């Protein structure tokens, strides 16, 4: 079954991160952005329902910007759908890892969990690097 990733956000974060992905990773027709609330009279339920229908025969991985936000909450209503995986906390390292592993033969749920775990290491307080460097130099 073919896999598709949807990145969805409030405002234009989704298309912005997709633009960054293209610069770093290259083009991927397996990733699509959903920018929410940027159009007048935007109907979140309708837009998401259309996406869910469009990709009904795909393994669908959705990454939203904020857990508990309206975009995430609307996708939560589809959690019981077969072959649907929802992640909150959209960031570029996570997206790169997911896209680069789309063709894995590993079961999707397991692969998404491993990718999430690994991508958390990319969130760092860089000031700690200086402190570690100073400590290493003193020994």
């Amino acid at each position: 079954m073919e896999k598709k990733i949807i990145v969805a956000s409030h405002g234009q974060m989704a298309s912005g991160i997709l633009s960054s992905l293209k610069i770093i990773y290259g083009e991927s027709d397996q990733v699509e952005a959903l920018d929410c609330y940027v159009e007048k009279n935007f109907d979140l339920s309708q837009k998401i329902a259309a996406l869910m229908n469009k990709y009904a025969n795909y393994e669908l991985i959705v990454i939203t910007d904020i857990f508990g936000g309206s975009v995430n909450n609307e996708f939560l209503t589809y959690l019981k759908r077969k072959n649907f995986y929802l992640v909150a906390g959209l960031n570029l390292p996570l997206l790169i890892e997911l896209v680069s592993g789309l063709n894995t033969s590993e079961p999707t749920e397991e692969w998404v969990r491993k990718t999430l775990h690994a991508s958390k290491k990319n969130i760092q307080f860089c000031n700690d690097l200086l402190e570690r460097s100073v400590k290493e130099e003193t020994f």
Side-chain angles (χ1 to χ4, degrees):
M1 180 176 279
E2 191 173 348
K3 294 177 184 144
K4 184 79 170 182
I5 295 175
I6 305 290
V7 292
S9 68
H10 297 81
Q12 297 175 329
M13 179 183 176
S15 59
I17 206 163
L18 185 55
S19 173
S20 296
L21 176 72
K22 288 177 184 177
I23 291 168
I24 296 168
Y25 183 83
E27 292 286 332
S28 176
D29 61 352
Q30 290 178 285
V31 184
E32 187 172 319
L34 174 62
D35 292 331
C36 301
Y37 306 111
V38 295
E39 309 163 350
K40 191 174 184 174
N41 301 320
F42 178 81
D43 187 329
L44 181 63
S45 297
Q46 181 184 19
K47 288 283 186 178
I48 291 176
L51 278 173
M52 297 304 284
N53 287 332
K54 181 179 178 181
Y55 298 115
N57 296 319
Y58 287 70
E59 282 192 285
L60 190 59
I61 302 158
V62 175
I63 313 167
T64 63
D65 54 355
I66 303 170
F67 176 73
S70 59
V71 177
N72 183 257
N73 287 344
E74 187 63 33
F75 277 109
L76 280 171
T77 65
Y78 293 92
L79 277 182
K80 291 185 180 180
R81 178 182 173 231
K82 189 175 180 170
N83 298 313
F84 177 70
Y85 310 93
L86 180 60
V87 176
L90 175 61
N91 65 72
L92 187 56
L94 170 61
L95 183 58
I96 291 168
E97 288 291 325
L98 286 170
V99 172
S100 64
L102 275 171
N103 296 321
T104 183
S105 59
E106 190 172 8
T108 302
E109 183 174 343
E110 190 176 312
W111 161 71
V112 169
R113 287 182 190 280
K114 283 181 182 177
T115 303
L116 274 170
H117 180 74
S119 73
K120 290 176 184 178
K121 295 175 185 172
N122 288 311
I123 299 172
Q124 298 285 322
F125 184 49
C126 295
N127 292 43
D128 290 343
L129 297 173
L130 178 61
E131 186 176 312
R132 274 187 249 148
S133 175
V134 169
K135 285 181 181 179
E136 288 173 4
E137 288 176 12
T138 60
F139 289 104

